[in-house]
Amino acid sequence: MKTGKKILLLGSLIIFISSCVSLKEFNETKDRLTTENEQLKRNKMDLEAANAELKSRVEQLNSQNKELRSQLEEALYDLNVQKQSNSALQKDVDDLQKQMEALNSGSSAEIEKLLAELQEARGDLNSREDKLRAAEKELEERNAKLIELQNILAQQEQAVQDLKKKVMDALVGFNNNGLTVHEKNGKVYVSLEEKLLFKTGQWDVDPKGQQALKELSNVLAQNPDINIMVEGHTDDVPMHGSGAVKDNWDLSVMRATAVTKILTQNKQIDPKRIIAAGRSEYLPLLADKTTEGRQMNRRTEIILTPNLDELLEIIDMN
């Protein structure tokens, strides 16, 4: 019952009571109605609180219901995936079962064919393994030869270093006096300027030069595995001679030959070890046209090379 109706009823009762009952009865009735009104107000408040609580509970239930629906959908999706996986697995099982049944029910010819194919595959595998072992063996042999080659190269390099030192020790008195010793490309170069060996335009070796060559020949005699190249070099000034020496070619060859003859006076040096060559003006140290440059170009070079026969033999074997 709404509050407005209650008030109207109360007013009607008051008028009725005022006209029909005594003041005492009126007061009793008023008190009773007031009490009932307060009770109704409390009931209303309780109902409103219960309604709010009920709304909150409904919202919670709706949220839980939404979450449960989401979980249900996810579970249904997982179930569907699992069903598909199980279906594929079952198909594989069925295929394997069919293969087993076909194998069990197959004829002896089919079995023999399978066995033949298996034997062929094993043969091919064995052949591949044999080739692999052969390749490994060849690789080991090549590696051994490479190590051997490296050792020989190291020995050759050490031999060049030792030879250079021996030559420098033997010719120490001629250093800074027209003679230099250096190493290049695995060879020892003994370079003698013209002033140490020859007079200008001549090819007879001076006594001081002869002494240097004899000292060098003693070192070469003690190292029989060293090959010797004697090269004569001139400058670019044209030479117009007569007789045996007509130009720079002839002069360079005659000078190389003269040095070679002095070296081979040492009977311990096999002449087969020596090559005499004339390079004329075509391999200069300096390309300038100065007096100093031309003086450096007029030289005789004795090129000492360790015997590479062993090294070449290994290379030929590979």
Side-chain angles (χ1 to χ4, degrees):
M1 187 178 294
K2 296 183 179 180
T3 305
K5 290 182 180 182
K6 292 179 180 179
I7 295 173
L8 181 59
L9 178 59
L10 179 59
S12 300
L13 289 173
I14 293 173
I15 295 172
F16 175 75
I17 293 170
S18 298
S19 60
C20 300
V21 297
S22 64
L23 180 60
K24 179 180 180 181
E25 292 175 345
F26 172 77
N27 289 333
E28 291 176 353
T29 301
K30 179 181 178 182
D31 292 338
R32 179 173 57 80
L33 290 175
T34 300
T35 301
E36 290 178 356
N37 186 47
E38 291 177 355
Q39 182 63 41
L40 289 172
K41 288 182 178 179
R42 286 194 295 270
N43 291 341
K44 178 185 177 184
M45 294 176 62
D46 292 340
L47 288 173
E48 289 176 349
N51 185 50
E53 183 178 357
L54 182 60
K55 285 184 178 180
S56 176
R57 181 60 180 167
V58 169
E59 290 177 356
Q60 291 179 0
L61 290 174
N62 288 334
S63 177
Q64 291 177 358
N65 184 48
K66 184 178 179 180
E67 184 177 355
L68 288 173
R69 284 181 177 275
S70 176
Q71 293 176 357
L72 178 60
E73 290 176 357
E74 184 176 354
L76 289 173
Y77 176 79
D78 292 341
L79 179 61
N80 186 44
V81 172
Q82 187 64 35
K83 284 182 178 180
Q84 293 179 357
S85 177
N86 290 345
S87 178
L89 181 61
Q90 184 62 44
K91 185 177 182 302
D92 292 340
V93 171
D94 293 341
D95 291 341
L96 289 175
Q97 184 65 33
K98 291 178 181 179
Q99 293 177 15
M100 289 293 296
E101 291 175 356
L103 183 62
N104 291 332
S105 62
S107 64
S108 58
E110 292 175 342
I111 295 175
E112 290 178 358
K113 180 182 178 181
L114 291 174
L115 290 175
E117 291 177 354
L118 178 60
Q119 187 65 27
E120 182 180 357
R122 287 178 177 174
D124 183 59
L125 178 60
N126 292 334
S127 176
R128 290 175 181 270
E129 289 178 348
D130 291 340
K131 291 180 180 179
L132 179 60
R133 283 192 290 269
E136 290 176 346
K137 182 179 180 181
E138 181 180 359
L139 181 60
E140 290 177 357
E141 292 175 352
R142 286 183 177 272
N143 188 50
K145 290 178 181 178
L146 178 60
I147 294 174
E148 183 181 3
L149 183 63
Q150 290 174 340
N151 290 336
I152 292 176
L153 287 173
Q155 294 173 7
Q156 297 287 358
E157 183 177 356
Q158 186 60 47
V160 169
Q161 295 293 333
D162 294 343
L163 177 63
K164 178 183 176 183
K165 185 177 185 305
K166 291 178 182 179
V167 170
M168 293 182 65
D169 291 344
L171 301 177
V172 64
F174 300 93
N175 290 339
N176 301 320
N177 193 19
L179 181 146
T180 58
V181 180
H182 66 278
E183 177 194 351
K184 183 174 70 174
N185 298 329
K187 302 176 183 180
V188 175
Y189 287 73
V190 181
S191 182
L192 302 102
E193 295 181 12
E194 179 188 55
K195 66 181 181 180
L196 180 61
L197 298 178
F198 308 104
K199 293 182 174 60
T200 301
Q202 299 299 313
W203 55 91
D204 293 327
V205 181
D206 290 343
K208 187 174 183 180
Q210 292 183 24
Q211 182 61 34
L213 294 174
K214 289 179 181 179
E215 297 290 344
L216 178 60
S217 71
N218 292 330
V219 175
L220 299 179
Q222 297 171 8
N223 295 270
D225 291 333
I226 301 300
N227 294 320
I228 307 165
M229 168 78 80
V230 180
E231 290 185 348
H233 299 264
T234 67
D235 58 23
D236 60 348
V237 178
M239 178 181 181
H240 303 287
S242 59
V245 177
K246 297 182 177 61
D247 52 26
N248 284 332
W249 275 116
D250 291 338
L251 181 61
S252 65
V253 171
M254 292 298 291
R255 285 182 170 181
T257 303
V259 170
T260 299
K261 289 179 178 179
I262 293 175
L263 292 176
T264 53
Q265 288 177 2
N266 190 322
K267 301 304 179 182
Q268 294 180 315
I269 297 178
D270 187 349
K272 291 186 292 186
R273 295 170 53 193
I274 302 182
I275 297 175
R279 305 301 295 265
S280 186
E281 63 196 68
Y282 300 106
L283 199 64
L285 292 177
L286 297 177
D288 59 46
K289 307 296 183 181
T290 63
T291 300
E292 293 78 8
R294 285 173 170 155
Q295 180 180 348
M296 291 186 65
N297 292 335
R298 297 192 300 270
R299 69 198 187 280
T300 300
E301 288 188 339
I302 302 174
I303 305 170
L304 309 177
T305 307
N307 192 331
L308 302 177
D309 291 345
E310 185 177 6
L311 181 62
L312 294 175
E313 182 179 350
I314 293 177
I315 295 175
D316 290 340
M317 289 174 61
N318 292 331

